[in-house]
Short mmCIF file of all heavy atoms in Angstrom, two decimals:
data_model
loop_
_atom_site.label_atom_id
_atom_site.label_comp_id
_atom_site.label_asym_id
_atom_site.label_seq_id
_atom_site.Cartn_x
_atom_site.Cartn_y
_atom_site.Cartn_z
N GLY A 12 2.92 -7.27 4.75
CA GLY A 12 1.73 -6.87 4.02
C GLY A 12 0.52 -6.82 4.92
O GLY A 12 -0.47 -6.46 4.39
N GLY A 13 0.82 -6.98 6.23
CA GLY A 13 -0.39 -7.12 7.06
C GLY A 13 -1.06 -5.85 7.49
O GLY A 13 -2.12 -5.83 7.96
N ASN A 14 -0.32 -4.76 7.41
CA ASN A 14 -0.84 -3.40 7.69
C ASN A 14 -0.27 -2.35 6.86
O ASN A 14 0.85 -2.51 6.34
CB ASN A 14 -0.81 -3.17 9.14
CG ASN A 14 0.48 -2.57 9.66
OD1 ASN A 14 1.38 -3.29 9.55
ND2 ASN A 14 0.46 -1.41 10.06
N THR A 15 -1.04 -1.36 6.68
CA THR A 15 -0.82 -0.30 5.69
C THR A 15 -1.09 1.13 6.43
O THR A 15 -1.80 1.12 7.41
CB THR A 15 -1.49 -0.38 4.45
OG1 THR A 15 -2.94 -0.40 4.64
CG2 THR A 15 -1.10 -1.58 3.56
N TYR A 16 -0.48 2.06 5.95
CA TYR A 16 -0.78 3.49 6.35
C TYR A 16 -0.71 4.36 5.28
O TYR A 16 0.13 4.31 4.43
CB TYR A 16 0.32 3.81 7.48
CG TYR A 16 0.13 5.12 8.11
CD1 TYR A 16 -0.72 5.14 9.29
CD2 TYR A 16 0.79 6.30 7.72
CE1 TYR A 16 -0.84 6.35 9.98
CE2 TYR A 16 0.70 7.50 8.43
CZ TYR A 16 -0.18 7.47 9.49
OH TYR A 16 -0.49 8.71 10.29
N PHE A 17 -1.60 5.37 5.14
CA PHE A 17 -1.79 6.23 4.14
C PHE A 17 -1.77 7.78 4.56
O PHE A 17 -2.15 8.02 5.58
CB PHE A 17 -3.03 5.99 3.21
CG PHE A 17 -3.07 4.69 2.66
CD1 PHE A 17 -3.52 3.56 3.39
CD2 PHE A 17 -2.54 4.45 1.44
CE1 PHE A 17 -3.55 2.38 2.80
CE2 PHE A 17 -2.49 3.19 0.84
CZ PHE A 17 -3.15 2.09 1.43
N ALA A 18 -1.23 8.60 3.64
CA ALA A 18 -1.39 10.02 3.86
C ALA A 18 -2.82 10.41 3.76
O ALA A 18 -3.64 9.77 2.85
CB ALA A 18 -0.65 10.74 2.83
N ASP A 19 -3.35 11.38 4.45
CA ASP A 19 -4.75 11.73 4.32
C ASP A 19 -5.18 12.12 2.96
O ASP A 19 -6.25 11.95 2.59
CB ASP A 19 -4.98 13.01 5.38
CG ASP A 19 -4.86 12.48 6.83
OD1 ASP A 19 -5.05 11.34 7.02
OD2 ASP A 19 -4.77 13.44 7.56
N SER A 20 -4.29 12.69 2.21
CA SER A 20 -4.55 13.25 0.81
C SER A 20 -4.88 12.14 -0.12
O SER A 20 -5.55 12.41 -1.18
CB SER A 20 -3.38 14.10 0.38
OG SER A 20 -2.30 13.23 0.25
N VAL A 21 -4.51 10.90 0.14
CA VAL A 21 -4.81 9.70 -0.73
C VAL A 21 -5.66 8.74 -0.11
O VAL A 21 -6.06 7.74 -0.79
CB VAL A 21 -3.48 9.14 -1.29
CG1 VAL A 21 -2.58 10.19 -1.87
CG2 VAL A 21 -2.83 8.26 -0.20
N LYS A 22 -5.90 8.91 1.20
CA LYS A 22 -6.70 7.84 1.88
C LYS A 22 -8.09 7.66 1.21
O LYS A 22 -8.81 8.69 0.90
CB LYS A 22 -6.92 8.21 3.28
CG LYS A 22 -7.32 7.08 4.26
CD LYS A 22 -7.20 7.68 5.74
CE LYS A 22 -5.81 7.96 6.16
NZ LYS A 22 -5.80 8.37 7.46
N GLY A 23 -8.49 6.35 0.97
CA GLY A 23 -9.73 6.14 0.28
C GLY A 23 -9.68 6.05 -1.20
O GLY A 23 -10.49 5.63 -1.90
N ARG A 24 -8.58 6.50 -1.83
CA ARG A 24 -8.34 6.44 -3.27
C ARG A 24 -7.16 5.59 -3.60
O ARG A 24 -7.30 5.00 -4.67
CB ARG A 24 -8.02 7.85 -3.82
CG ARG A 24 -9.20 9.01 -3.54
CD ARG A 24 -8.93 10.26 -4.32
NE ARG A 24 -7.58 10.82 -3.78
CZ ARG A 24 -6.70 11.22 -4.66
NH1 ARG A 24 -6.70 10.89 -5.92
NH2 ARG A 24 -5.56 11.84 -4.10
N PHE A 25 -6.21 5.59 -2.76
CA PHE A 25 -5.06 4.70 -3.14
C PHE A 25 -4.95 3.44 -2.19
O PHE A 25 -5.29 3.61 -1.05
CB PHE A 25 -3.75 5.58 -2.93
CG PHE A 25 -3.38 6.66 -3.90
CD1 PHE A 25 -4.44 7.05 -4.76
CD2 PHE A 25 -2.15 7.24 -3.88
CE1 PHE A 25 -4.19 8.11 -5.63
CE2 PHE A 25 -2.01 8.26 -4.75
CZ PHE A 25 -2.91 8.69 -5.59
N THR A 26 -4.48 2.44 -2.75
CA THR A 26 -4.17 1.18 -1.92
C THR A 26 -2.81 0.74 -2.30
O THR A 26 -2.25 1.00 -3.36
CB THR A 26 -5.25 0.08 -2.13
OG1 THR A 26 -5.07 -0.34 -3.45
CG2 THR A 26 -6.60 0.47 -1.70
N THR A 27 -2.13 -0.02 -1.38
CA THR A 27 -0.90 -0.58 -1.57
C THR A 27 -0.90 -1.99 -1.25
O THR A 27 -1.51 -2.42 -0.26
CB THR A 27 0.20 0.26 -0.97
OG1 THR A 27 1.53 -0.25 -1.33
CG2 THR A 27 0.32 0.17 0.59
N SER A 28 -0.14 -2.79 -1.88
CA SER A 28 0.02 -4.18 -1.59
C SER A 28 1.24 -4.73 -1.93
O SER A 28 2.08 -3.94 -2.66
CB SER A 28 -1.13 -4.97 -2.28
OG SER A 28 -1.00 -4.89 -3.79
N ARG A 29 1.70 -5.90 -1.58
CA ARG A 29 2.97 -6.52 -1.99
C ARG A 29 2.75 -7.93 -2.18
O ARG A 29 1.99 -8.60 -1.65
CB ARG A 29 3.96 -6.16 -0.86
CG ARG A 29 3.70 -6.92 0.38
CD ARG A 29 4.71 -6.33 1.54
NE ARG A 29 6.04 -6.67 1.33
CZ ARG A 29 7.21 -6.14 1.88
NH1 ARG A 29 6.88 -5.15 2.76
NH2 ARG A 29 8.40 -6.45 1.54
N ASP A 30 3.67 -8.44 -3.13
CA ASP A 30 3.80 -9.80 -3.40
C ASP A 30 5.26 -10.32 -3.08
O ASP A 30 6.12 -10.01 -3.96
CB ASP A 30 3.38 -10.09 -4.88
CG ASP A 30 3.33 -11.61 -5.18
OD1 ASP A 30 4.07 -12.34 -4.53
OD2 ASP A 30 2.70 -11.93 -6.15
N ASN A 31 5.46 -10.82 -1.93
CA ASN A 31 6.84 -11.14 -1.65
C ASN A 31 7.44 -12.25 -2.47
O ASN A 31 8.70 -12.30 -2.60
CB ASN A 31 6.98 -11.51 -0.13
CG ASN A 31 6.82 -10.23 0.78
OD1 ASN A 31 6.89 -9.14 0.33
ND2 ASN A 31 6.61 -10.52 2.10
N ALA A 32 6.63 -13.06 -3.02
CA ALA A 32 7.06 -14.03 -3.83
C ALA A 32 7.66 -13.50 -5.19
O ALA A 32 8.56 -14.03 -5.83
CB ALA A 32 6.05 -15.05 -4.27
N LYS A 33 7.17 -12.32 -5.50
CA LYS A 33 7.65 -11.65 -6.75
C LYS A 33 8.51 -10.44 -6.47
O LYS A 33 8.98 -9.75 -7.37
CB LYS A 33 6.39 -11.17 -7.64
CG LYS A 33 5.54 -12.25 -8.16
CD LYS A 33 4.51 -11.69 -8.96
CE LYS A 33 3.60 -12.69 -9.53
NZ LYS A 33 2.40 -12.36 -10.47
N ASN A 34 8.85 -10.28 -5.14
CA ASN A 34 9.62 -9.11 -4.74
C ASN A 34 9.10 -7.87 -5.30
O ASN A 34 9.91 -6.97 -5.74
CB ASN A 34 11.09 -9.34 -5.13
CG ASN A 34 11.76 -10.31 -4.30
OD1 ASN A 34 11.22 -11.03 -3.42
ND2 ASN A 34 13.15 -10.42 -4.48
N THR A 35 7.77 -7.66 -5.29
CA THR A 35 7.25 -6.50 -5.87
C THR A 35 6.14 -5.87 -4.87
O THR A 35 5.41 -6.62 -4.29
CB THR A 35 6.55 -6.82 -7.18
OG1 THR A 35 7.58 -7.35 -8.11
CG2 THR A 35 6.05 -5.51 -7.85
N ILE A 36 6.08 -4.53 -4.83
CA ILE A 36 5.00 -3.83 -4.30
C ILE A 36 4.23 -2.99 -5.34
O ILE A 36 4.78 -2.74 -6.41
CB ILE A 36 5.40 -2.94 -3.16
CG1 ILE A 36 6.19 -1.75 -3.59
CG2 ILE A 36 6.17 -3.73 -2.08
CD1 ILE A 36 6.40 -0.71 -2.50
#
């Protein structure tokens, strides 16, 4: 979860995260 990468079309509008304890992104 330490780094992320986005398509230009969604940059600034979308974020992504993960919770490895819950096995969920």
Side-chain angles (χ1 to χ4, degrees):
N14 78 297
T15 55
Y16 187 82
F17 295 91
D19 288 342
S20 58
V21 306
K22 202 172 293 182
R24 300 188 297 122
F25 291 11
T26 60
T27 189
S28 60
R29 66 190 295 163
D30 185 339
N31 285 350
K33 295 182 178 180
N34 284 8
T35 302
I36 67 165

